[in-house]
Amino acid sequence: MARKNYTDEFRRRAVDLYESTPGATLKGIAADLGVSRGALKEWVDKLRSGTMTAGAAPVAPSRGRPESQTARIARLESENAALRVEQAKLAEERDILRQAAKYFGRGDELVNRFQFVEDHKDAWGVKRLCEVIEIARSSFYAWLAAAPGRAARQAEDAALAERIRVLQDPALGGDRASGAPRITADLNEGAAADGRVNHKRVARVMREHGLAGVRLRRRVRTTIPDQSGRRFPDLIGRDFSAGEPNRRYVGDITYLPVEGGTNLYFASCIDLGSRKLTGWAMADHMRTELVEGALEAARRERGSLTGSVFHSDHGSVYTSKAYAALCEQLGVTQSMGAIGSSADNALAESFNATLKRELLEGRSAFPDAATAYRAVFRWANRYNTRRRHSAIGNISPNAYEAAASATLAEAA
């Protein structure tokens, strides 16, 4: 059941994965995604050239009057001169961006761009620097004019941070676990109205100076209890055995932490018959559209889900009217385990644990959302094309489905 038609989004993600993976080869990435090396190379070439339409015919060279040798030499000299100018310009931009890179990783990126221009304006000039790092000169000069006020505020924040350290120092009777609400109350106790400190400022200063109170890691809930009262029978009964593909599916939502305290959410649609991750979706929210996206992706992969069963927990997104309507439209029968029983959806729970363990590799979070998307895109496709599953004879889901298809063809 190899996929023959690929969406433009899939092609773009495949090229992005190849170009953003250090040391990647066309053969390796193509094998991970289950496509041919030639197809991937074609996508890379077309997207690099801006030609998005598959099969576009090359433009034939003009066949006008033959160019004389003198004209050809003049043209080539002119082109070389233009290329040298462009090369010098690009070299200068490269040097500027190399110097700027060490600034961009610190806190407020826009402020750091301004600071970079201020620190290097004697070498390259304000106009050229603003052009390369894409900021308006007027904005830079406005930032420069506000420097005295910023310096005063920074001094005030530093003094406030020192007062907070005292309140958190156990040796001085403080409490290291005190967070912004308690610190704000301590600072404002007995203070006159004009000497009171806003809790938002306290929280900001504590964050900027690394003074956050000791706390446990927040547990992220991905199953929000259903309030609609809608119920569906359990048509799986904890029978997660392999078998014929496109008959029974399980799915769930899990979260992927991103540095800075945010999360991305991943919804799955897994074929019990072959263990294939037939559909998935990823977003920065847990609304019904997320699980709808995963089911729609499975329908596109299979062509049709008519007559199949989809099993999930009792989360509100799965019991919503919108999701029930989509299942009815696609000919899918919903199934749910008992409320509060993770064992009734154990295969999906195990899949989620594997996903996070293998993608994060011991890290607490992804560095940014773009890295998370790329990692999930590659892992999800590799899961189907290369990952071996003991439940299906230690072969990949795609290989299992190909064998099952061949068996059915022989029987017919």
Side-chain angles (χ1 to χ4, degrees):
M1 293 188 177
R3 182 183 356 208
K4 296 182 180 179
N5 297 317
Y6 301 91
T7 64
D8 288 341
E9 181 184 4
F10 184 92
R11 295 188 181 98
R12 286 192 295 270
R13 285 188 179 277
V15 175
D16 174 70
L17 177 62
Y18 168 70
E19 294 186 335
S20 64
T21 304
T25 63
L26 287 167
K27 182 178 179 181
I29 296 297
D32 283 350
L33 302 182
V35 302
S36 68
R37 179 188 180 280
L40 180 58
K41 184 178 187 305
E42 180 182 1
W43 300 344
V44 171
D45 293 342
K46 286 181 177 178
L47 290 176
R48 281 177 176 173
S49 65
T51 307
M52 296 298 296
T53 304
V59 179
S62 61
R63 297 185 178 181
R65 179 180 299 176
E67 187 178 32
S68 68
Q69 184 175 3
T70 302
R72 182 170 180 271
I73 292 173
R75 176 176 59 79
L76 291 176
E77 287 179 346
S78 176
E79 290 177 356
N80 284 337
L83 287 173
R84 284 194 295 271
V85 171
E86 183 66 19
Q87 184 180 29
K89 183 178 179 181
L90 291 174
E92 183 182 60
E93 290 183 3
R94 178 200 61 199
D95 294 339
I96 292 174
L97 291 173
R98 280 179 176 174
Q99 292 293 324
K102 62 188 71 173
Y103 281 73
F104 293 172
R106 315 174 193 161
D108 189 323
E109 183 179 329
L110 181 60
V111 169
N112 292 327
R113 289 175 187 240
F114 293 148
Q115 188 62 57
F116 172 74
V117 174
E118 171 64 13
D119 294 345
H120 296 82
K121 62 185 180 183
D122 293 335
W124 285 296
V126 172
K127 180 179 179 180
R128 181 60 174 149
L129 289 170
C130 290
E131 178 185 275
V132 172
I133 64 174
E134 299 179 345
I135 60 173
R137 276 186 290 166
S138 59
S139 298
F140 166 72
Y141 286 123
W143 174 84
L144 200 61
R150 281 198 307 277
R153 288 192 296 274
Q154 288 172 357
E156 292 172 357
D157 286 348
L160 178 59
E162 193 56 39
R163 293 172 61 191
I164 294 172
R165 287 192 183 92
V166 172
L167 292 174
Q168 288 186 328
D169 189 347
L172 299 176
D175 184 356
R176 181 67 186 87
S178 294
R182 290 182 181 177
I183 292 294
T184 303
D186 289 341
L187 290 170
N188 290 333
E189 186 176 12
D194 57 353
R196 295 178 67 83
V197 184
N198 183 278
H199 72 281
K200 292 183 179 179
R201 183 187 174 202
V202 172
R204 175 180 58 78
V205 170
M206 292 180 68
R207 181 173 61 253
E208 292 174 352
H209 289 78
L211 299 174
V214 176
R215 59 185 177 183
L216 296 175
R217 183 175 177 83
R218 178 173 60 92
R219 182 176 181 272
V220 179
R221 277 200 318 170
T222 54
T223 300
I224 300 175
D226 167 43
Q227 304 295 327
S228 67
R230 190 175 287 107
R231 297 288 182 268
F232 297 94
D234 186 350
L235 303 178
I236 299 297
R238 300 190 184 181
D239 176 13
F240 305 115
S241 56
E244 186 179 356
N246 201 22
R247 289 291 177 264
R248 302 182 304 156
Y249 292 89
V250 297
D252 198 8
I253 300 176
T254 191
Y255 74 97
L256 297 170
V258 178
E259 286 183 4
T262 60
N263 293 304
L264 293 171
Y265 299 93
F266 179 95
S268 58
C269 186
I270 307 163
D271 193 321
L272 281 181
S274 63
R275 296 302 193 264
K276 182 169 184 173
L277 178 60
T278 314
W280 60 275
M282 195 168 166
D284 59 356
H285 62 79
M286 289 194 297
R287 297 190 293 271
T288 305
E289 303 96 271
L290 177 64
V291 293
E292 288 178 329
L295 192 63
E296 286 279 12
R299 193 268 308 162
R300 289 193 298 270
E301 172 68 22
R302 292 304 193 199
S304 173
L305 297 176
T306 302
S308 63
V309 171
F310 180 81
H311 183 79
S312 67
D313 58 26
H314 279 267
S316 59
V317 290
Y318 290 114
T319 58
S320 67
K321 291 182 179 179
Y323 193 75
L326 177 61
C327 288
E328 183 176 355
Q329 175 188 337
L330 299 179
V332 175
T333 302
Q334 284 187 262
S335 167
M336 292 182 179
I339 295 177
S341 175
S342 60
D344 287 350
N345 203 20
L347 190 140
E349 297 277 357
S350 175
F351 173 90
N352 289 343
T354 300
L355 170 75
K356 289 196 282 191
R357 181 178 66 250
E358 296 184 2
L359 284 179
L360 289 169
E361 298 178 333
R363 297 171 296 176
S364 60
F366 288 99
D368 53 59
T371 300
Y373 274 105
R374 289 193 186 105
V376 169
F377 177 70
R378 183 174 190 177
W379 186 93
N381 284 281
R382 187 185 178 92
Y383 187 88
N384 292 330
T385 60
R386 292 195 175 189
R387 186 183 181 86
R388 298 179 183 273
H389 295 259
S390 59
I392 54 175
N394 282 320
I395 60 177
S396 70
N398 279 4
Y400 179 87
E401 292 194 356
S405 179
T407 301
L408 288 174
E410 290 174 3

